[in-house]
Amino acid sequence: MRRDVFQAIADPTRRAIIVLIATQSMTPNALAERFDTSRQAISKHLRILTECQLVKQEQTGREIYYQLNAKKMKEVADFIEPFRQMWETKFNQLDNVLSNLKNNKK
């Protein structure tokens, strides 16, 4: 089943995994040590993140390391960016209104 990337990041555990592997590759066992859950549960989250191409696997000896796929995360950032700009504009407009109100009271 092909999942949507936004379905994958909707889960707080998967978002936490993304944060952890953003700076260094980690094995499922190393990730499981950071959570109050089983290795199997972490593997399930990793499978979903892998299906969505948010993480990549790299086999080193007998271990599989997971790392963030920054290119796929850029797709998420590109989707969110217009909304960030919209809110930034609205906050700037609110700052101007509040500043004008404050200056008119003086």
Side-chain angles (χ1 to χ4, degrees), residues 5-6 9 54 72-81:
V5 68
F6 292 98
I9 62 172
L54 285 168
K72 196 68 174 181
M73 285 301 292
K74 186 173 180 333
E75 289 180 26
V76 175
D78 289 347
F79 175 79
I80 293 172
E81 179 60 21

Side-chain angles (χ1 to χ4, degrees), residues 6-25:
F6 292 98
Q7 283 179 298
I9 62 172
D11 184 274
T13 301
R14 289 193 285 270
R15 288 194 305 269
I17 289 171
I18 289 170
V19 169
L20 286 170
I21 64 171
T23 54
Q24 67 178 31
S25 299

